[in-house]
Amino acid sequence: LVTAAMWQRIKGKIGAPPSRDFVGSTTEVLGTSLTTWNPPSATITLETRRTTEANGTTKTTHQTIVVTLVKGQGLWLVDSYAWQK
């Protein structure tokens, strides 16, 4: 569930035609923390392990993502996310 602003950001990626080359990606959450809590918004930080397979090669990386949530109509919605370097 996402906010209208987030939907505008991601909808183009969902509707894009598929690539001819196979790329598989799996993201596993290893840990979470509540970074800020200021209802009706909150920020969480997730530590992840991302595994990507392309052209017969598998690559695994650890990466952090910060997700901002807002509460609207009784639901917590994703308003933004940012992968950290």
Side-chain angles (χ1 to χ4, degrees), residues 2-50:
V2 299
T3 62
M6 184 67 187
W7 177 247
Q8 291 302 314
R9 180 177 170 192
I10 65 173
K11 73 178 182 177
K13 295 177 184 178
I14 294 171
S19 169
R20 290 181 12 174
D21 300 320
F22 172 79
V23 176
S25 182
T26 302
T27 303
E28 179 183 2
V29 176
L30 304 174
T32 63
S33 63
L34 182 61
T35 310
T36 61
W37 176 255
N38 190 18
S41 67
T43 303
I44 58 171
T45 301
L46 299 101
E47 301 299 328
T48 70
R49 177 172 44 230
R50 299 178 75 188

